[in-house]
Amino acid sequence: MELDLNLPSPASAPVQAPSAVTSDAKPQRTDKHIWGVYMFLVIISLIELYSASSREVTSSAFGVLGPLMRHGSMLLAGFFIMLGLQKMHYRVVYAITPISVFVAIMMMIYVLVAGEEINGAKRAFTFIVTIQPSEFLKLTAAMIIAYIMSRNQLKDGRVRDRAIWISAAVVGFYGLLLITQGLTNTLLLMAISLSMLVIGGISWRQVWNLLMAFVVVGIVVLGVSVLLTSAMPSSGDAEPVELAEGEVVKEEGIMGRINTWVARMDRFHSDGRPKYELEINAKNRQEMYAFMAQANGGLFGVGPGNSRETSRLPLAFSDYIYSIIVEEWGLVGGMFTLLLYLWLLCRAAAIAGSCARAFPALLVIGMAVMIGYQALFHMAIVTGVFPVSGQPLPLISKGGTSILVTSIALGIMLSVSRHAVRTGSKKQEIKDEISELPEEIRGENLTSFN
């Protein structure tokens, strides 16, 4: 590792093992802005989940409060996760990253083999609560790229080429696991990974090489998946999926997913007519009712609990909850929600830019990018910018796994904001932080804004 930390030689000042180091520096306070964004999102989540869950009320033993109680219990669990993680030093995240990656991969493989089918694909399994491993894959993707990049920092601010290719291999393998879950998850994974690598200091030449590697990996993944699917005998029990009038196919394996993607793209482009002129049918009712909800909201909305479309919009409480937010709070409320996620990205950038070491900077950016991109994908789908797909709105949509993963990411961001030493700190504090870190991640954050 080529580092220039201006420290005495090991012979004159031996470095203590991380467990033996005691620093006199007190932890900083956690970032108030992250907590502020979190509290606003929780308030919006409780109000809108209650409003958007009318379809679930009849199936609840607690009546109208059932969906809210379930959702509130997951938010409470996430809150305690955040409290625990903010007290934990970020070096623990580095230590558990390989284990976390292994566990996430094993969960995903188990789901692909014996998981519960949701919307035409095996996506989840039940362990106390329903767990969707794809959410953990996105979280651990950000963690492992921060892990790889921080171990391959050069003293001029660049990263070694091998870090690029290792990261591309990881993203390719993750993409192979996620492709059966949906194309959006795979694209989201690539966007998170590429953003982290660019922020981490790779050159434009390396960016181009990485994009080419992603294209090649994507072609190989699709090719292998198609060959394997065509070689397997049909089970005959897959869900039928309508592609066009009078045309029905079985959504089975990767070919079924490809047919679904093609159908959604065709519907997205339509025939050039405005959306309000199209007839509502079983194939387009989700997006059409979502558009109607947003149009009904106007500038200031119809008020909390007064949504007209929540009772007939499928998945109003999860994949389409942003349309209910816009209907009840109007364009103003929709923009405010968008700004909360953008402000989270801005605060992560500010924290990363002031970190003295590279690993915490990459880690906090990775967590924020994961949350922010997922929110942007959700909003783009709901507003018709992207074709229809399923992505929860972080911390707001119903979903135990999504809430827990978002809470973990926020807790890691709080840990970095509390324990990472700033570039303007005293030299002794910087030396203490270096002594507490494993040798391979002591690299200086040369992308610092200070």
Side-chain angles (χ1 to χ4, degrees):
M1 188 70 64
E2 299 177 30
L3 302 176
D4 183 14
L5 302 176
N6 297 319
L7 293 177
S9 64
S12 59
V15 177
Q16 292 175 281
S19 60
V21 173
T22 58
S23 174
D24 294 331
K26 294 182 179 180
Q28 306 165 97
R29 291 185 177 181
T30 51
D31 190 80
K32 295 182 295 183
H33 297 265
I34 297 176
W35 275 115
V37 169
Y38 168 77
M39 287 188 289
F40 273 117
L41 290 177
V42 167
I43 292 170
I44 294 171
S45 177
L46 291 172
I47 294 172
E48 294 308 311
L49 194 282
Y50 179 71
S51 178
S53 296
S54 60
R55 282 172 169 255
E56 290 199 310
V57 168
T58 55
S59 63
S60 170
F62 297 97
V64 295
L65 294 178
L68 186 62
M69 291 177 67
R70 289 197 301 270
H71 189 67
S73 65
M74 296 307 302
L75 287 173
L76 186 62
F79 173 72
F80 284 115
I81 287 173
M82 289 174 60
L83 285 181
L85 288 175
Q86 74 162 356
K87 295 180 180 180
M88 182 183 71
H89 197 284
Y90 66 81
R91 68 174 178 269
V92 179
V93 179
Y94 173 81
I96 66 174
T97 291
I99 300 173
S100 301
V101 169
F102 177 77
V103 171
I105 290 173
M106 289 298 101
M107 288 195 300
M108 194 68 204
I109 292 175
Y110 174 77
V111 161
L112 294 178
V113 174
E116 300 170 11
E117 188 168 307
I118 302 175
N119 295 333
K122 292 181 178 179
R123 304 179 191 272
F125 66 92
T126 300
F127 180 75
I128 303 176
V129 296
T130 300
I131 297 175
Q132 295 195 30
S134 59
E135 298 296 317
F136 285 101
L137 279 184
K138 287 179 281 190
L139 174 71
T140 56
M143 291 169 61
I144 192 63
I145 289 176
Y147 181 97
I148 294 168
M149 295 280 286
S150 62
R151 290 170 61 99
N152 289 277
Q153 292 287 121
L154 297 172
K155 61 182 180 181
D156 60 357
R158 296 182 298 108
V159 295
R160 293 184 175 89
D161 283 342
R162 70 184 182 193
I164 310 301
W165 300 117
I166 295 173
S167 298
V170 170
V171 173
F173 181 66
Y174 270 37
L176 180 62
L177 296 176
L178 280 174
I179 195 70
T180 58
Q181 304 286 293
L183 184 60
T184 310
N185 274 329
T186 307
L187 294 176
L188 184 55
L189 170 70
M190 294 176 64
I192 293 169
S193 307
L194 186 59
S195 297
M196 287 188 65
L197 290 166
V198 170
I199 294 169
I202 68 175
S203 65
W204 288 112
R205 176 186 61 81
Q206 291 172 317
V207 171
W208 176 253
N209 290 340
L210 185 63
L211 287 174
M212 291 298 99
F214 280 172
V215 170
V216 171
V217 168
I219 293 172
V220 171
V221 167
L222 282 175
V224 171
S225 300
V226 169
L227 288 174
L228 289 176
T229 302
S230 60
M232 293 173 60
S234 174
S235 61
D237 59 356
E239 285 290 322
V241 177
E242 281 191 79
L243 296 181
E245 291 296 333
E247 183 181 2
V248 178
V249 300
K250 294 285 187 179
E251 183 174 353
E252 186 169 292
I254 191 64
M255 287 304 299
R257 297 307 301 170
I258 292 174
N259 289 330
T260 300
W261 302 336
V262 171
R264 287 174 174 175
M265 287 300 298
D266 289 342
R267 198 161 67 241
F268 178 68
H269 293 294
S270 65
D271 55 4
R273 287 185 294 164
K275 295 293 184 182
Y276 58 81
E277 292 184 0
L278 298 178
E279 180 183 353
I280 299 177
N281 53 47
K283 294 179 290 183
N284 68 5
R285 61 177 181 152
Q286 284 185 316
E287 56 260 48
M288 294 299 289
Y289 287 140
F291 296 150
M292 292 169 67
Q294 293 166 78
N296 187 45
L299 185 60
F300 297 106
V302 297
N306 295 321
S307 169
R308 184 186 67 190
E309 302 300 331
T310 183
S311 60
R312 58 179 181 172
L313 172 60
L315 303 178
F317 48 81
S318 56
D319 292 348
Y320 283 85
I321 199 166
Y322 186 66
S323 62
I324 305 302
I325 293 174
V326 174
E327 183 180 18
E328 297 192 348
W329 298 92
L331 177 63
V332 173
M335 290 298 297
F336 178 74
T337 305
L338 170 62
L339 288 174
L340 287 175
Y341 292 106
L342 294 179
W343 187 244
L344 189 67
L345 284 168
C346 290
R347 287 308 301 170
I351 294 169
S354 63
C355 287
R357 311 264 66 81
F359 177 69
L362 289 166
L363 190 61
V364 72
I365 281 290
M367 298 300 104
V369 164
M370 185 201 75
I371 297 171
Y373 277 13
Q374 183 148 327
L376 293 176
F377 269 57
H378 173 98
M379 294 176 186
I381 291 166
V382 170
T383 56
V385 177
F386 287 176
V388 172
S389 186
Q391 282 298 323
L393 189 58
L395 217 62
I396 294 180
S397 293
K398 176 195 170 184
T401 308
S402 177
I403 291 175
L404 294 180
V405 167
T406 304
S407 300
I408 292 171
L410 289 170
I412 291 173
M413 292 177 67
L414 290 169
S415 172
V416 171
S417 74
R418 188 179 192 212
H419 296 284
V421 173
R422 304 295 194 256
T423 51
S425 300
K426 296 178 181 179
K427 290 184 178 181
Q428 186 57 46
E429 292 180 355
I430 295 177
K431 289 182 179 180
D432 288 341
E433 181 182 39
I434 292 170
S435 299
E436 292 176 351
L437 297 176
E439 183 178 355
E440 60 270 20
I441 60 166
R442 294 177 185 174
E444 186 179 355
N445 178 22
L446 295 177
T447 60
S448 170
F449 302 147
N450 292 337

